Amino acid sequence: MPNAFNFAASPFDCLSPDEQRLVRASVDIAYFPEGAVVLDVGAVPTHLFILIKGYVTQSEGDEVLATYGPDDCFDGCGLMTGRVGSRFVATEEVVAYQLAREAVNELIARNNTFGALLFSDLGQKLSALAQRADQHERQSLTMARVDQAYLRPAHTVDAGTDIVSVVRLFQAQRTTSVLVSGLGNVPGSGLGIFTNTGLQRAILDGRPLNQLTVGELASGPLVTVRSSDLLGDAMALMLHRRVHRLVVLEEGGQVRGILEALDLFSFLANHSHLIMVQIEHAQDLPALAQAAAQITQLIATLYRGGTRIGMMARLVQQLNARLFERAWHMVAPTDLVGHSCLFVMGSEGRGEQLLKTDQDNGLVLRDGYTAPPDVDSICQRFSEVLASFGYPECPGRVMVSNPDWRGTVSSFGQRVRQWLLQPEGDSLMQLAIFLDAHAVAGDAALLGAVREGVMALATDNDALLARFAAAVEQFDDPTGWWSRLFGLGDEGRAISLKKAGIFPIVHGVRSLALARRVAATGTAERIAALVECGTLDAPLGDELVQSLHFLMGLRLKAGLAEIDTGRDVTGNVDPQRLSSLERDLLKDALAVVKRFKLLLHQRLKLDAL
């Protein structure tokens, strides 16, 4: 057998050296001219085919189910059942490896991952993939430098400072430690440290705190690390010395900052806590901007470390919500904040945003409240602040700076009800956007009142629901995404994952949620509610969530690559840059989308439009 077999392609990339030798000993090469039938319905398969050159289409009747290209394999399902269920035809000259059925069965018996990737549905394949990622050695964050972690500012006081003054500094600077200078009992720098632990001792001392000096209770000498040291070494030192913080020094010996244990372990976990700390401690908009700038880096780190997409999206939603809330408090007067609800929509509202996207936000005001005369400039300023944080202004002006997306509970409620009951123009699109609204600042009950009014009017009018749901076909591709996967179509190689799969899942689920008056805004949560009420069966619900998260992850990978190369972020994928496993999973995900759209046509009678 030729040594050129590509063991980097899925599912063969999980094989051990012994299993690879079994493959080499069990394969032959087959040739099929253009138009030849490789496998036909009802045949008893004897081999697994792995394409070297050319393309093969899988069809049932007149419907093309899939297209296979170089490094793809088929028909694993036929081998498992003992009968071919589809027709496989060479669309051009094909050269392929054929692996004997006996060898495939032996590989399955030896290697569970191989069997899962070969035969299983999308969810099981992704689970197997996740387990493989956990088994591979990851690039350890402990190899990062100390100065890559979040270092808290170091505040220094003289040893003669009284404890009450130190506590005032704790409160003003939102810190739990200060460096203490002028300690005679500490050799060298004379620097020590005073922390909350020392404060407890000061209280128990019994003397008046304004007469007790910090130098009497400071600890020294300092436990220090260099900014260029490795975080793994810093963690080992912290554990060895049984301290909760290290003083970080520059190469010249100057104090750079304080590395807290919580910040160190958060960095090693996922960095998100560090950004939240910076958001909480920010005193002005520039400080918030510094925190906002780290969110994309966080996502890149989490993705490359194997964090699940759903978890990443929830972390981003939490960080963005707190970031927007702090920014709104800095821009808007307290009175306006207290009598309004700032909310976000779109992927941010659903908790499905990963990379920064266009702003989608609005403002609901309390009935009877008179907004400040300069509310327009306040909202415009807020939109400009978010743009400076890296969130572009929405081309459709779905922002608080647009008066159409501001209003009292009554006026906004009336507007949304009109979108629902008397749709015209783009009102159904605006309704779809609003249905994903999620409160981030102010009185969330105000947004809740508007949403409750809409859900109460959600109608069983089939024609209206069909019109609302029909947008799932907005980006329908008559040439088929299978051809686009291999550059066989006329529209180029790039595939918009948002149009091909993410939007149909999100809007289809949103439509069913509206029909069933489901209040949740996240797609996964909506799917769970629809499964619970019997609208979706559990296997399809699981496949929809798995497909959505896979597509989001693939889009994220493409977007990060575009950022790394300085290109505009589109999230579109070039099939030629996908691994064979990614192409396989993408085909599975798009097949799930196709089945879901058929279900929507049946349930909501879309064909009657």
Side-chain angles (χ1 to χ4, degrees):
M1 140 65 217
N3 288 321
F5 191 95
N6 184 10
F7 287 104
S10 175
F12 299 96
D13 56 343
C14 66
L15 299 182
S16 68
D18 284 343
E19 291 162 350
Q20 291 180 10
R21 281 191 285 272
L22 172 62
V23 171
R24 289 193 179 98
S26 308
V27 299
D28 291 315
I29 292 180
Y31 168 80
F32 300 92
E34 180 179 350
V37 177
V38 182
L39 290 171
D40 209 346
V41 177
V44 177
T46 57
H47 295 85
L48 179 72
F49 291 92
I50 305 98
L51 291 176
I52 302 172
K53 172 188 174 184
Y55 296 92
V56 171
T57 58
Q58 176 186 1
S59 60
E60 289 184 4
D62 295 330
E63 183 180 7
V64 176
L65 300 180
T67 300
Y68 299 91
D71 290 330
D72 288 337
C73 61
F74 65 91
D75 171 38
C77 291
L79 280 178
M80 181 174 63
T81 61
R83 180 181 178 277
V84 176
S86 303
R87 185 179 176 89
F88 294 82
V89 177
T91 56
E92 57 182 59
E93 187 177 65
V94 164
V95 179
Y97 294 117
Q98 49 184 22
L99 180 61
R101 178 175 57 197
E102 294 76 15
V104 174
N105 289 337
E106 186 171 346
L107 290 173
I108 294 169
R110 290 188 187 184
N111 191 317
N112 291 334
T113 301
F114 177 83
L117 293 174
L118 187 62
F119 297 127
S120 302
D121 60 23
L122 177 68
Q124 292 172 307
K125 286 180 180 178
L126 290 173
S127 295
L129 189 61
Q131 291 170 7
R132 286 171 58 197
D134 290 340
Q135 293 166 358
H136 289 311
E137 185 69 29
R138 296 180 185 172
Q139 180 180 3
S140 176
L141 286 172
T142 59
M143 298 302 292
R145 287 166 46 117
V146 166
D147 56 10
Q148 291 179 259
Y150 175 59
L151 303 181
R152 297 178 185 249
H155 305 283
T156 304
V157 299
D158 183 77
T161 307
D162 66 87
I163 298 298
V164 172
S165 298
V166 172
V167 172
R168 290 196 182 103
L169 179 64
F170 278 7
Q171 184 177 34
Q173 299 299 328
R174 304 179 115 181
T175 185
T176 58
S177 65
V178 293
L179 300 183
V180 181
S181 63
L183 294 177
N185 60 342
V186 176
S189 66
L191 272 178
I193 190 168
F194 180 81
T195 68
N196 274 344
T197 302
L199 179 59
Q200 295 173 17
R201 288 163 41 213
I203 295 171
L204 294 174
D205 181 85
R207 286 177 285 173
L209 296 182
N210 61 350
Q211 298 176 18
L212 186 61
T213 63
V214 67
E216 297 178 61
L217 296 166
S219 302
L222 299 175
V223 182
T224 64
V225 291
R226 298 284 177 178
S227 59
S228 58
D229 288 346
L230 298 180
L231 280 176
D233 294 336
M235 179 173 63
L237 177 63
M238 198 175 283
L239 295 172
H240 175 69
R241 297 294 296 271
R242 298 182 181 181
V243 294
H244 298 292
R245 56 187 59 79
L246 300 173
V247 177
V248 181
L249 303 179
E250 296 283 16
E251 295 306 316
Q254 305 91 341
V255 174
R256 172 77 176 268
I258 306 294
L259 177 63
E260 299 264 2
L262 179 61
D263 299 334
L264 168 61
F265 294 129
S266 295
F267 181 93
L268 298 177
N270 58 38
H271 297 227
S272 61
H273 167 76
L274 307 182
I275 299 177
M276 187 65 81
V277 167
Q278 290 178 272
I279 292 173
E280 295 293 342
H281 286 203
Q283 300 295 312
D284 51 31
L285 291 172
L288 279 181
Q290 291 178 0
Q294 297 184 51
I295 293 178
T296 298
Q297 180 183 352
L298 165 69
I299 292 304
T301 301
L302 293 177
Y303 175 73
R304 288 160 185 158
T307 305
R308 294 185 181 275
I309 292 297
M311 180 180 291
M312 279 194 283
R314 288 193 296 273
L315 284 174
V316 171
Q317 184 182 44
Q318 293 165 5
L319 291 171
N320 283 347
R322 188 57 178 146
L323 178 71
F324 295 172
E325 181 181 16
R326 290 296 317 280
W328 180 241
H329 277 262
M330 292 181 185
V331 170
T334 303
D335 186 60
L336 175 58
V337 173
H339 289 87
S340 66
C341 176
L342 177 72
F343 60 91
V344 294
M345 297 168 285
S347 59
E348 178 60 33
R350 296 190 305 273
E352 294 160 13
Q353 184 186 105
L354 294 170
L355 297 179
K356 294 173 180 174
T357 56
D358 297 344
Q359 299 177 38
D360 284 316
N361 47 51
L363 189 69
V364 177
L365 303 169
R366 194 182 310 279
D367 284 340
Y369 170 70
T370 302
D374 60 342
V375 66
D376 285 343
S377 61
I378 292 170
C379 292
Q380 181 60 42
R381 171 65 176 146
F382 180 72
S383 295
E384 292 169 353
V385 165
L386 293 192
S388 73
F389 289 173
Y391 303 88
E393 293 194 358
C394 174
R397 304 290 299 162
V398 182
M399 301 182 295
V400 293
S401 54
N402 180 355
D404 289 343
W405 286 95
R406 301 197 305 264
T408 63
V409 171
S410 297
S411 63
F412 212 119
Q414 182 178 0
R415 190 180 312 159
V416 177
R417 288 192 295 273
Q418 186 172 356
W419 293 340
L420 175 66
L421 300 177
Q422 297 176 316
E424 58 182 25
D426 60 357
S427 61
L428 287 178
M429 179 191 70
Q430 292 173 319
L431 175 62
I433 294 171
F434 178 77
L435 288 176
D436 297 338
H438 174 75
V440 295
D443 187 352
L446 302 177
L447 174 63
V450 179
R451 288 183 56 85
E452 287 173 8
V454 176
M455 300 309 293
L457 290 174
T459 175
D460 293 327
N461 185 313
D462 290 343
L464 175 61
L465 290 172
R467 284 186 58 191
F468 181 77
V472 296
E473 302 289 6
Q474 180 177 349
F475 305 115
D476 193 31
D477 181 2
T479 65
W481 295 110
W482 308 120
S483 296
R484 301 283 301 286
L485 264 175
F486 298 102
L488 301 178
D490 298 328
E491 299 183 36
R493 295 186 303 175
I495 295 177
S496 169
L497 297 177
K498 180 177 180 179
K499 294 178 180 179
I502 295 175
F503 178 78
I505 292 175
V506 167
H507 189 65
V509 169
R510 181 165 47 206
S511 300
L512 291 175
L514 176 62
R516 300 296 180 265
R517 298 180 173 90
V518 173
T521 57
T523 303
E525 290 76 15
R526 284 169 169 164
I527 289 173
L530 292 169
V531 169
E532 185 176 353
C533 71
T535 301
L536 294 176
D537 61 61
L540 177 58
D542 182 62
E543 285 186 315
L544 286 171
V545 173
Q546 297 276 10
S547 298
L548 174 63
H549 288 171
F550 170 72
L551 293 169
M552 288 169 59
L554 205 57
R555 191 167 184 247
L556 172 62
K557 179 182 178 181
L560 290 173
E562 289 171 325
I563 291 174
D564 289 343
T565 54
R567 291 175 290 162
D568 291 337
V569 177
T570 65
N572 295 343
V573 298
D574 180 353
Q576 302 303 317
R577 295 181 180 273
L578 297 179
S579 68
S580 59
L581 175 59
E582 287 172 332
R583 287 200 304 272
D584 186 32
L585 292 171
L586 180 54
K587 285 185 289 188
D588 286 348
L590 294 180
V592 171
V593 172
K594 186 175 183 179
R595 285 192 284 114
F596 181 51
K597 289 165 74 172
L598 288 175
L599 179 144
L600 292 173
H601 275 262
Q602 296 167 359
R603 293 281 180 86
L604 300 178
K605 301 179 177 62
L606 301 190
D607 294 328
L609 293 176

